[in-house]
């Protein structure tokens, strides 16, 4: 079972991480909200332990954004009595359970196991746009029957575009979601990666699935191999 721990208190994160590892969990730690959201979206976790008061982006926003993007991963939030948010907020925003700090590790472990029992391990559904298919759980991508090998970043970009297929997305939105907002404003990295994707997903098949919307951004449209034969 893979657990993502999003917690900025180093000692606490380390203790939870060690404890869970000893119990046979595979753990990863993010020490701020931005990285936490990024890791949660980029990887498949079975459960997430999410502190609410985090630098970068609050746990509140991390959870809300995860749910907004369709993630159903169980989330257990850690709340502090003096925090800005309380338990009711935590459940409102889509968390599945909460623990107030300070908590005992034994209780945390029991709650996590309960969450894992409750939620069948769901595979993220295969995403499609025309005959482009992405399997986020297996990290596989196909155009028609041909598998296309993508790097992790290319896959993240493709997934972002497919999840918003038919919509125009700006370079800023792409930078935020795919690079976690780490890019310079002047960077042309988004353009470069869109180019990589076109070379892999469209051009070899004579298709134009990723449209440039001048002055705005990009739009991924449904195209299929049949479209190429028709033109
Ligand atoms: Ca904190």
């Amino acid at each position: 079972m893979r657990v993502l721990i999003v917690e900025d208190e180093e000692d606490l994160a380390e203790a939870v991480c060690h404890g869970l590892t000893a119990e046979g969990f595979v753990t990863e730690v993010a020490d701020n909200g931005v990285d936490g959201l990024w890791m949660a979206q980029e990887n498949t976790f079975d459960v997430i332990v999410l502190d609410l008061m985090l630098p970068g982006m609050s746990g509140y926003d991390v959870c809300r954004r995860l749910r907004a993007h369709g993630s159903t991963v169980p989330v257990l939030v850690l709340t502090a009595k003096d925090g800005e948010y309380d338990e009711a907020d935590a459940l409102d925003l889509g968390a599945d359970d909460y623990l107030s700090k300070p908590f005992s590790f034994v209780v945390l472990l029991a709650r996590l196991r309960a969450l894992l029992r409750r939620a069948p391990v769901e595979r993220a559904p295969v995403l499609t746009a025309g005959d482009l298919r992405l399997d986020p759980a297996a990290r596989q991508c196909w155009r028609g029957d041909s598998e296309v090998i993508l790097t992790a970043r290319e896959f993240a970009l493709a997934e972002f575009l497919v999840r918003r297929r038919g919509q125009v997305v700006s370079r800023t939105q792409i930078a935020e979601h795919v690079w976690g907002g780490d890019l310079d404003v002047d960077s042309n990295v988004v353009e470069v990666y869109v180019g990589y994707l076109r070379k892999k997903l469209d051009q070899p098949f004579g298709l134009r699935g990723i449209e440039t919307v001048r002055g705005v951004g990009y739009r991924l449209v449904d195209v299929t191999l049949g479209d190429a034969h028709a033109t």
Side-chain angles (χ1 to χ4, degrees):
M1 291 290 177
R2 284 165 52 81
V3 186
L4 175 63
I5 301 155
V6 189
E7 170 59 76
D8 58 315
E9 286 168 54
E10 210 175 310
D11 293 347
L12 179 57
E14 202 169 308
V16 170
C17 189
H18 274 137
L20 290 178
T21 305
E23 292 292 330
F25 290 86
V26 175
T27 57
E28 290 202 44
V29 177
D31 67 2
N32 66 78
V34 175
D35 288 350
L37 178 64
W38 164 249
M39 288 164 75
Q41 288 178 329
E42 281 302 282
N43 299 282
T44 308
F45 291 99
D46 298 298
V47 64
I48 296 176
V49 178
L50 178 66
D51 186 29
L52 284 186
M53 302 298 283
L54 291 165
M57 181 188 295
S58 72
Y60 183 98
D61 284 329
V62 172
C63 195
R64 193 173 47 76
R65 289 199 193 194
L66 267 180
R67 295 301 184 232
H69 289 120
S71 169
T72 57
V73 62
V75 174
L76 183 149
V77 300
L78 303 177
T79 63
K81 271 208 180 70
D82 55 351
E84 190 181 338
Y85 306 107
D86 63 17
E87 291 82 358
D89 289 329
L91 299 180
D92 274 353
L93 57 85
D96 300 276
D97 199 359
Y98 64 87
L99 260 187
S100 301
K101 293 182 185 175
F103 54 85
S104 92
F105 177 74
V106 175
V107 172
L108 173 68
L109 187 61
R111 298 284 193 90
L112 289 181
R113 289 203 164 126
L115 278 181
L116 289 166
R117 272 197 305 273
R118 202 159 81 196
V121 180
E122 285 186 46
R123 276 172 67 88
V126 172
L127 308 169
T128 61
D131 63 3
L132 178 66
R133 286 181 297 136
L134 292 178
D135 182 344
R139 285 267 173 157
Q140 284 178 299
C141 172
W142 300 267
R143 171 66 82 186
D145 293 330
S146 310
E147 183 170 1
V148 180
I149 305 300
L150 299 179
T151 66
R153 194 72 84 176
E154 290 167 354
F155 194 96
L157 176 57
E159 182 177 349
F160 182 74
L161 293 173
V162 169
R163 285 188 186 278
R164 285 157 192 77
R165 65 188 226 282
Q167 304 170 24
V168 179
V169 290
S170 69
R171 286 172 189 80
T172 309
Q173 285 175 306
I174 293 173
E176 270 178 16
H177 286 267
V178 180
W179 278 268
D182 290 340
L183 296 181
D184 285 344
V185 182
D186 297 334
S187 162
N188 69 342
V189 166
V190 171
E191 285 85 341
V192 168
Y193 271 80
V194 167
Y196 291 162
L197 276 191
R198 283 179 168 143
K199 283 199 183 110
K200 290 187 175 183
L201 301 180
D202 286 344
Q203 288 165 11
F205 306 96
L207 296 171
R208 303 187 73 171
I210 305 174
E211 299 176 345
T212 300
V213 181
R214 195 174 288 273
V216 186
Y218 302 96
R219 174 171 50 212
L220 185 132
V221 295
D222 290 3
V223 291
T224 67
L225 296 175
D227 300 333
H229 298 146
T231 53

